[in-house]
Amino acid sequence: MGVVKKDILIGFLVAIFATFGGVFIYIEYFSRYSFDETLQLIVEGKLYGKVLSIAAIPNLFVFFIYLKKKQDNGAKGVLLATIVTAFITLILKFF
């Protein structure tokens, strides 16, 4: 695997991890209910897309960190992960 592909993959995985971290932070700290109750409300209300779109906000910070360090290929991976997240959100909203 080339260095460029490896950097893009690492950026992609970091962004996916940041998105899941965003989901956890949203559910744990910004929800009025407990973790289990919030997950249950998300499933019952079919709010996957809304929670996922809010949870993608940490990708913005990761993207700018990669740009600040002049690691453009890692930033490309973050951008790719954000586009995939947006596409999944779009699918969840309309289907």
Side-chain angles (χ1 to χ4, degrees):
M1 181 184 288
V3 175
V4 172
K5 289 182 182 179
K6 183 179 176 184
D7 289 343
I8 292 173
L9 179 64
I10 290 171
F12 182 84
L13 294 175
V14 167
I16 295 297
F17 181 73
T19 302
F20 284 119
V23 168
F24 177 77
I25 289 170
Y26 171 73
I27 291 174
E28 189 67 28
Y29 296 108
F30 293 108
S31 177
R32 289 184 254 162
Y33 305 104
S34 70
F35 193 83
D36 294 332
E37 289 174 332
T38 304
L39 285 179
Q40 197 173 30
L41 289 171
I42 290 170
V43 171
E44 289 173 3
K46 296 182 181 177
L47 302 172
Y48 309 115
K50 293 178 182 180
V51 172
L52 189 59
S53 63
I54 290 172
I57 292 173
N59 287 351
L60 181 68
F61 300 113
V62 174
F63 180 74
F64 283 120
I65 288 170
Y66 272 116
L67 288 181
K68 182 79 172 170
K69 290 184 171 184
K70 300 196 185 303
Q71 296 178 353
D72 294 339
N73 291 325
K76 288 178 188 177
V78 173
L79 186 61
L80 179 64
T82 305
I83 291 170
V84 169
T85 303
F87 186 70
I88 291 170
T89 302
L90 181 73
I91 289 172
L92 290 173
K93 182 169 178 75
F94 292 111
F95 297 106

